[in-house]
Amino acid sequence: MNRSLAPILSALGAGVVLLANTFFIVPQTQQALVLQFGAIDRVINTNDGKTGGPGLYVNAPFIQNVIMYDKRNLGFNLPAQAIVAADQHRLIVAAYARWQIVDPLRFRQAAQTEEAGQSRLENIMTGALRRVLGSAPQNEIISTRRAELMKAIATAMNTEAGKLGVRVGDVRIRQADLPTETAERVF
């Protein structure tokens, strides 16, 4: 009796594995790339709404695999770093950015993973911070033109981030202080 059940149980187990690898669900908060032998076959649930919405989809098991990217706004904090303003005063600046993957196909080709994409965006943001804040005097960074400078940083980031398939929605300067040794001298 046990010998006659073994092939049936094996076939049943293989059927369950095959069925589990045939269907996949794309949540509303995710967008999916279906890869067939490593090449992109189709894109599902992008922000443009032209590629199908969230739901249950079918793929060819063991031939196609699915990669999911977040569709929501993502964010990162840039650690505090020294920036030299236009008037040659040093400031310690910490900032954060909110970003979104708008072209998952381009994002896959340029960055592969969300972590790699965030790392590249951090480098882009560091460069944009240094360029924009380096062209403004210290008092404008601290008080008078701060909102305008944050918009300029976001615009500078978006020109480079578009190559990644990413849109930067918001950039904020959390902290712009004098270095400790300068603050002690002033006070």
Side-chain angles (χ1 to χ4, degrees), residues 33-43 58-67 108:
L33 289 175
V34 179
L35 303 175
Q36 183 167 328
F37 297 119
I40 296 178
D41 184 47
R42 64 184 190 254
V43 182
V58 177
N59 68 333
F62 309 112
I63 295 173
Q64 295 178 330
N65 65 334
V66 180
I67 297 174
R108 168 79 177 160

Side-chain angles (χ1 to χ4, degrees), residues 94-110:
Y96 71 88
R98 298 287 176 248
W99 59 285
Q100 183 179 38
I101 301 170
V102 293
D103 186 353
L105 178 60
R106 185 178 293 172
F107 186 78
R108 168 79 177 160
Q109 293 167 343

Side-chain angles (χ1 to χ4, degrees), residues 1-11:
M1 181 101 175
N2 287 339
R3 288 186 180 179
S4 63
L5 281 179
I8 294 171
L9 290 176
S10 296

